[in-house]
Each structure stands twice: as C-alpha cells, then as structure tokens.
Amino acid sequence: MKCTADIFCLLSLLALSFRSVAQAPDIDPSFPVARNGKLQLISDQFSFTEGPAADAGGNVFFTDQPNNKIWKYDTNGSLTVFMDNAGRANGLYFNRRGELIVCADENNQLWSLSPGGKISVLIYDFQSKKLNGPNDVWINKKGDMYFTDPYYQREYWKRTKPDLKLQSVYLLKQGSHNLVSVEDSLVKPNGIVGTPNGKCLYVADIGASKTYRYTINKDGTLGEKKLFAEMGSDGMTIDNQGNLYLTGNGVTVFNKDGVRIKHIPVPAKWTANVCFGGENNDWLFITASDKLFKIKMQVKAAN
C-alpha cells in the first residue's frame, strides 16, 4: 500500500509498468465478471483506501490510512466507521475466530482486533528492531499469519530510514510469539495471498514488477519459488477457481497457470487492493485511491 503525497511519482511510474499487461486483450471478455456486471461506485469520500477484508458474514472492512480509520460496509449497504485512531491501519485479514488482523504501521506493529474493537498487539518488532511497516497479511486455516514488510517512508514517522536491512516476508505461527523471516530476497514485497489448501503462497514484488508462487512446507516455511506473472501488485486476492487478482492499473486477473484472462478498468489513479465479500461472497470489492467500488462476479471467494 502507498498513500502519501511524497510517493505519487512512484505510483505513476509503477502504473506505466502495469499498463502493457493491463492493455493486452482479454482471453475471455466476460469471465470472471457476472453477465452484465458493471463496476459500481460505493463512495468517494476517502483519502486513500486500502486493505479490504470480509468477515464470515460477508461484511467488508477497509482502511483509509491518511485519515487513520477502519470503515465497515455491511451486506445491507450501510457504510460506517468501525474504528478511529486505527494505528494507520493498512492491510487487513480476518482469522477463523472472527478477529481482524491489522497491519498497523504507525508504530510498525501487527494487531488483532476483537469484534468490539479491542486491540491486542501481536508483534512489536523483529530481533529487537522496528519492522519496516507491515503491509499486507494472509492467514491460513491453522491460524498461521504471513505478512509483507516493505519500507515506505511515512510522514508521521520520526525515523527517516529503516532499522532493518532487508524487506522481508514474515511468518507468525498460531500460538507463537516468535516471528520468522521466510523470504528476504525480494526488492519490495507487497501483496500476498495463499491458496485455501495452504499449499501455495503468492507474493508480489512490486519493486521488481513480478509476482511469485511459493510452495509452503509442512513447517510453514517457503519452498520452491516460481515466477507467476511479469507484473507486480499492491494488494491481491484469489477466487474459488484459483484465479489471482492483481492490482495497480485497475484489476488484472490471471488463471492458476499464470495466463492473463481479464482486465477490469477502474477509474482511479491507483487501484490498491481487492477482496471478495457480500452475503454470498460473489462481489469483488476494490479499494482505489479515494474510492471504494464493487462489481458482481461469476466466481466467489476462495475461502
């Protein structure tokens, strides 16, 4: 996720790198969008939206990081503030207990929020050093959390350089307080999502304009690494057909073999993130600059 004015130039450069992929012809002009499905604007009252995540009921939570809020869009179409002073929340994800896991980069932490909004800090640092800024998170069925930690300088930080030399992907196993680095060879890891069976993890290296697929070992560490797409991504999600949704210039969809099948144009300077939600988990929600959109799909959430 990127939101502050000092990186708008970077966004423009990244958008150019996405454009050649996004403008390629669709293999299937309709799939995976529902027949007659059209992009619908929910609201444009924000500064920079990010981190959409749906709870078990299909209600969608997302962040407005510059305004330090987490919002909720429920299945009845009601839009409300879920949390003020939200730790400059970025990426979000619900665990199986209904707790909202928050990448809170105001103090470079990982939080857990109860349904009532009570904060528990899960991670304060790594090897006694501040994290770069937890960005996006994915949780498997066992409760193990994988999150990316790129460095984007924030105007609300006192520091002006990272404490850590590397920008890594981390694993926090269920019930553990021991944070483990599972990938530290990427330029700038950002979007992350895994398959429902817990066997594969996708990580976007937005700094290198590439997305990789890793096998997940039995102990949770990452095994074989393969290039999935010659495209980076800010946030991402996966559907129940195994298609992967990458963001930046709109939303670009790849099938499980890494073949581009669809591009969804989004009228915004930058498309940051996506998730499935709604009562039947068949709406794709898109956070894009100061806006929140949705579009009806033929497919559903993977999990």
Side-chain angles (χ1 to χ4, degrees):
M1 177 272 167
K2 300 159 289 296
C3 68
T4 53
D6 60 336
I7 52 175
F8 282 160
C9 289
L10 174 60
L11 295 186
S12 298
L13 292 173
L14 287 170
L16 289 174
S17 70
F18 285 95
R19 192 159 294 141
S20 61
V21 176
Q23 290 181 344
D26 292 336
I27 287 179
D28 185 326
S30 61
F31 188 79
V33 176
R35 182 174 296 178
N36 299 322
K38 294 182 179 179
L39 195 67
Q40 299 178 27
L41 175 65
I42 296 172
S43 180
D44 60 359
Q45 64 183 286
F46 317 104
S47 292
F48 194 93
T49 55
E50 246 286 6
D55 65 13
N59 305 297
V60 173
F61 295 68
F62 63 98
T63 65
D64 184 1
Q65 193 183 48
N67 293 314
N68 204 13
K69 298 179 187 293
I70 298 176
W71 288 77
K72 177 182 178 181
Y73 180 76
D74 69 24
T75 54
N76 295 317
S78 177
L79 183 64
T80 56
V81 174
F82 173 71
M83 187 178 191
D84 278 312
N85 299 316
R88 298 288 183 172
N90 194 344
L92 308 173
Y93 205 90
F94 278 94
N95 66 19
R96 294 174 70 84
R97 295 191 299 272
E99 298 161 336
L100 184 60
I101 306 304
V102 178
C103 294
D105 83 359
E106 183 172 24
N107 293 303
N108 317 103
Q109 297 170 345
L110 194 68
W111 288 2
S112 173
L113 296 183
S114 70
K118 182 180 178 181
I119 301 170
S120 298
V121 180
L122 302 177
I123 292 296
Y124 288 91
D125 52 33
F126 177 66
Q127 298 178 347
S128 300
K129 294 182 179 180
K130 278 186 176 293
L131 291 165
N132 294 318
N135 193 285
D136 281 317
V137 57
W138 174 75
I139 307 170
N140 67 15
K141 290 182 179 180
K142 295 185 292 185
D144 300 337
M145 304 179 196
Y146 295 83
F147 68 91
T148 54
D149 187 47
Y151 189 86
Y152 292 107
Q153 183 65 48
R154 305 299 193 193
E155 60 186 13
Y156 43 83
W157 287 346
K158 292 182 179 179
R159 64 173 175 168
T160 57
K161 62 181 181 179
D163 294 8
L164 296 167
K165 292 182 179 180
L166 301 173
Q167 303 185 51
S168 300
V169 179
Y170 291 98
L171 164 64
L172 181 64
K173 300 198 74 172
Q174 171 63 30
S176 174
H177 298 287
N178 182 33
L179 193 60
V180 178
S181 173
V182 291
E183 167 61 285
D184 60 12
S185 67
L186 304 179
V187 177
K188 194 176 287 293
N190 200 308
I192 188 169
V193 72
T195 55
N197 62 12
K199 294 183 177 180
C200 293
L201 184 72
Y202 293 93
V203 180
D205 186 349
I206 198 169
S209 298
K210 298 181 187 301
T211 296
Y212 296 97
R213 178 169 55 199
Y214 300 81
T215 58
I216 300 177
N217 300 322
K218 289 183 179 180
D219 64 357
T221 58
L222 301 184
E224 184 181 20
K225 172 185 177 182
K226 287 186 176 181
L227 179 65
F228 178 77
E230 290 279 0
M231 175 180 172
S233 186
D234 197 340
M236 62 173 70
T237 194
I238 191 170
D239 68 26
N240 61 352
Q241 300 299 310
N243 301 311
L244 193 69
Y245 296 66
L246 304 184
T247 61
N249 176 22
V251 180
T252 306
V253 188
F254 294 82
N255 67 18
K256 59 186 177 180
D257 297 317
V259 177
R260 179 198 177 283
I261 60 172
K262 182 70 177 177
H263 178 251
I264 303 171
V266 177
K269 292 180 179 179
W270 183 258
T271 300
N273 216 327
V274 284
C275 82
F276 281 88
E279 190 173 359
N280 296 311
N281 279 310
D282 58 356
W283 286 88
L284 185 70
F285 289 83
I286 303 169
T287 55
S289 299
D290 58 344
K291 303 174 178 66
L292 177 68
F293 296 92
K294 67 177 181 178
I295 187 169
K296 190 67 177 292
M297 307 295 286
Q298 298 181 46
V299 293
K300 296 184 178 183
N303 55 350

